[in-house]
Amino acid sequence: AAATGKYADRFGGQLVLVTGAAGGIGRATAFAFAEAGARVIAVDRDAEGAARTAELSRLIGAPEAWAETVDVSDEQAMEKLSEKVAAEYGVVDVLVNNAGIGLSGSFLDTTPEDWRKVLDVNLWGVIHGCRLFGRQMAERGQGGHIVNTASAAAYLPSRTLPAYSTSKAAVLMLSECLRAELVGKGIGVSAICPGIVNTNITSTARFAGVDAAEEKRRQRNAARLYGLRNYPPEKVADAVLRAVVRNQAVVPVTPEARGGRLMA
Ligand code: NAI
């Protein structure tokens, strides 16, 4: 299929790697780049979901698309991935560090093990991606862009997401530090901060010391309060492509995310 996306001129033929691409925001982002004619690498620990994203990306307009099964929190696996990508597909033009997991619970009930799980994926996964692929971009010397999926939780404190919010606040800050470091090399870094988006993240999230059903009800109510029950991942994907095109630093996406922080 020919590229028809509105950013086809900008991304046609570029190599784009998206983590957490088996579903939700990651899959929608892979599709948006595919529509713009980019070559897509869909990375996820869910092999079947990643393969499906790659297959559909080709149908949508990606001249080439591949799936890689990797746990982003696994340093060695990420190193292997970065070597394989460089050897077989080339240097990535756009990296989207999007894989993440949820964890709800009170601070005092969250165990060290749960803290580690969330930080391993949400923070270390992003660090590995930035280090490994950022270095390849820098050494190539032809620019590039890194997009990290943070969250409005990075700057809106809550009583029920302490570990998750902390991991996302760290992602926001590391993105801004890396942006400052790479600006001189023509490499952009953006942090995307969505509020509540309609994906499976709450259904797969773990619940520490709280009743899962009650917590889901609470989150649904909060979303309804904001009138945000159906904010589609496709709109977040659109914000990702726009962030690259406009080289935006911090991008709040949903209304309540924008209410908490103005775009920088
Ligand atoms: P999702 O659960 O639909 O997608 C997350 C994907 O990441 C899944 O395909 C999952 O298999 C993958 N993943 C999880 N851990 C992984 C690991 N260790 N290695 C490789 N892949 C892994 O959820 P969603 O909402 O699409 O989440 C995407 C990102 O957006 C996450 O970073 C999340 O924290 C962030 N976000 C989501 C919001 C929401 O309301 N849904 C709001 C703000 C941020």
Side-chain angles (χ1 to χ4, degrees):
T4 55
K6 62 179 164 182
Y7 295 123
D9 289 350
R10 173 67 171 74
F11 296 115
Q14 289 211 338
L15 184 60
V16 178
L17 187 151
V18 182
T19 72
I25 294 168
R27 174 174 274 179
T29 302
F31 289 172
F33 278 113
E35 251 178 30
R39 300 150 67 222
V40 173
I41 307 169
V43 174
D44 206 288
R45 64 180 172 187
D46 167 3
E48 229 174 87
R52 183 90 182 121
T53 297
E55 185 190 328
L56 292 170
S57 293
R58 280 192 294 272
L59 287 176
I60 289 169
E64 296 175 288
W66 307 272
E68 296 289 344
T69 311
V70 174
D71 177 343
V72 297
S73 69
D74 181 337
E75 183 181 343
Q76 282 176 359
M78 285 294 279
E79 235 175 83
K80 263 199 205 150
L81 173 71
S82 71
E83 285 161 12
K84 178 178 179 186
V85 166
E88 294 184 14
Y89 315 133
V91 174
V92 167
D93 296 295
V94 181
L95 167 69
V96 185
N97 287 309
N98 162 82
I101 53 173
L103 176 73
S104 294
S106 88
F107 194 113
L108 299 182
D109 288 326
T110 302
T111 62
E113 194 195 348
D114 277 333
W115 272 96
R116 259 182 226 116
K117 268 186 198 145
V118 170
L119 293 171
D120 274 349
V121 179
N122 293 9
L123 175 55
W124 276 104
V126 176
I127 294 173
H128 295 321
C130 287
R131 281 185 60 245
L132 295 161
F133 292 98
R135 180 169 301 283
Q136 290 181 3
M137 283 179 193
E139 281 173 357
R140 179 179 63 166
Q142 291 172 32
H145 205 102
I146 297 175
V147 180
N148 295 328
T149 312
S151 168
Y155 50 84
L156 296 172
S158 88
R159 276 187 299 182
T160 54
L161 295 165
Y164 180 82
S165 304
T166 301
S167 73
K168 293 300 188 178
V171 168
L172 183 57
M173 180 50 79
L174 79 81
S175 302
E176 297 190 274
C177 293
L178 186 61
R179 181 180 175 86
E181 177 168 330
L182 294 182
V183 65
K185 294 189 161 33
I187 298 167
V189 181
S190 305
I192 303 291
C193 300
I196 300 161
V197 182
N198 193 9
T199 71
N200 278 331
I201 194 157
T202 45
S203 64
T204 57
R206 292 165 45 75
F207 297 89
V210 291
D211 177 65
E214 195 181 309
E215 174 60 12
K216 282 186 189 173
R217 208 174 311 120
R218 194 198 61 77
Q219 290 181 5
R220 266 201 307 277
N221 284 340
R224 203 172 296 135
L225 199 67
Y226 287 117
L228 294 173
R229 258 195 314 164
N230 288 309
Y231 199 90
E234 290 74 20
K235 282 175 81 170
V236 183
D238 201 49
V240 170
L241 272 70
R242 210 178 318 120
V244 179
V245 169
R246 298 187 186 165
N247 192 13
Q248 291 165 323
V250 182
V251 185
V253 180
T254 61
E256 87 284 19
R258 283 192 287 270
R261 174 165 178 147
L262 296 175
M263 180 144 3

